[in-house]
Amino acid sequence: MPIKTQSDLPAKEILERENIFVMDEKRAMHQDIRPINIVIVNLMPLKEETELQLLRSLSNTPLQVDVSFVTPASHESTHTSMSHLNKFYQTFSEIEKQYFDGMIITGAPVEQMAFEEVDYWQEICKIMEWSKTHVTSTMHVCWGAQAALYYYYGIPKYDLDEKMFGVYRHKVMNRKIPLVRGFDDYFYAPHSRHTGVRKEEIEKHEELTILAESEEAGVFLVINQDGSRIFVMGHPEYDRLTLGKEYHRDKEKGLDIKLPLNYYPDDNPNERPMLQWRSHGNILYSNWLNYYVYQQTPYQFIDTAEIIGK
């Protein structure tokens, strides 16, 4: 399927080398279809790496996806160049009068801070509130999922005894929900986090359904009643080397970091990591785009709460 991006976005060239159909603005103008408009609120420090991972994950559907990127105005990024941000990113104030079929709020390396202490917390709250009337369905990933569960339902996060770091096995809990259509009974997904959310806190809310969980990593996938909010506790978008880069980076810093679980063959960090989660990650994003974005949004997207279904 075509991913529509700016013609000079660095990720575009990499995706094309992988034979993923990427369309620039000029060619998209000649397509007689309504694309799905997705906005990605990218909170990760290495934004270009996250762009590539998410665009790759969104590419496995016949639908045309028009992607916009947003970065918090209340936070100064130190790991991504200002030239890249100025060229490819907008702030919330620049898009808040627009309407989107879908939104992704990424993880962020601030999980050990109280939500209210994060410098862009108020801005993220404003975006989540805005999404009620401007976005059909939002996928919240890792810290983004914990933040949304806290904002919408008052569900707190808690500190883990040690970092959840590696590739974990999960069980599908409710096969009737279209978001997990095509999943095997068990599947693998990466986690990299210091905090978690307790299952019993989620189960207090009847409008939330747990779709997948792990004996070791806990709850992985949660959906609200109408599919307008989806919560993913891990990182199904990660590529093969992401956990390895994080491991070696922390080792070089002298941090106490264990080998990522179920990642390297024979736990040998000199071996090529095993890619065990790509197929289910692709299915997850394809199902989200199809069942909760494309099929829920009318051809002529208009500003009414009734259309958005809230």
Side-chain angles (χ1 to χ4, degrees), residues 204-226:
K204 292 178 182 178
H205 300 269
E206 293 183 358
E207 66 269 41
L208 296 178
T209 300
I210 297 172
L211 298 183
E213 62 180 330
S214 164
E215 290 186 4
E216 297 169 291
V219 173
F220 174 73
L221 187 60
V222 180
I223 190 170
N224 75 337
Q225 200 161 23
D226 64 1

Side-chain angles (χ1 to χ4, degrees), residues 259-309:
L259 279 172
L261 187 70
N262 299 322
Y263 182 62
Y264 291 112
D266 300 320
D267 284 337
N268 183 350
N270 297 314
E271 294 288 335
R272 182 174 172 82
M274 298 179 289
L275 184 59
Q276 308 172 79
W277 61 90
R278 176 64 55 79
S279 61
H280 282 87
N282 287 344
I283 292 172
L284 174 64
Y285 280 93
S286 295
N287 285 349
W288 173 60
L289 288 175
N290 182 23
Y291 297 115
Y292 300 94
V293 178
Y294 177 70
Q295 294 192 25
Q296 296 297 322
T297 309
Y299 186 86
Q300 296 295 331
F301 188 88
I302 58 176
D303 172 23
T304 71
E306 180 181 359
I307 288 293
I308 296 177

Side-chain angles (χ1 to χ4, degrees), residues 249-265:
R249 179 200 67 199
D250 288 355
K251 288 289 286 186
E252 290 174 2
K253 291 181 178 179
L255 300 178
D256 183 18
I257 181 74
K258 293 184 178 180
L259 279 172
L261 187 70
N262 299 322
Y263 182 62
Y264 291 112

Side-chain angles (χ1 to χ4, degrees), residues 105 110-111 113-118 120-122 124-126 128-129 132 140-158 195-198 201-202 205 207-208 222 229-233:
I105 299 180
V110 294
E111 59 201 85
M113 300 172 62
F115 291 118
E116 293 82 1
E117 293 178 359
V118 176
Y120 47 79
W121 175 244
Q122 291 303 319
I124 292 300
C125 290
K126 188 175 181 181
M128 289 191 287
E129 188 64 27
K132 293 179 180 179
H140 307 81
V141 180
C142 201
W143 180 85
Q146 295 180 7
L149 288 170
Y150 178 70
Y151 177 76
Y152 290 117
Y153 306 104
I155 297 174
K157 60 184 172 69
Y158 67 97
T195 56
V197 176
R198 291 187 171 88
E201 292 288 340
I202 296 172
H205 300 269
E207 66 269 41
L208 296 178
V222 180
R229 299 171 195 148
I230 291 164
F231 312 88
V232 185
M233 303 303 172

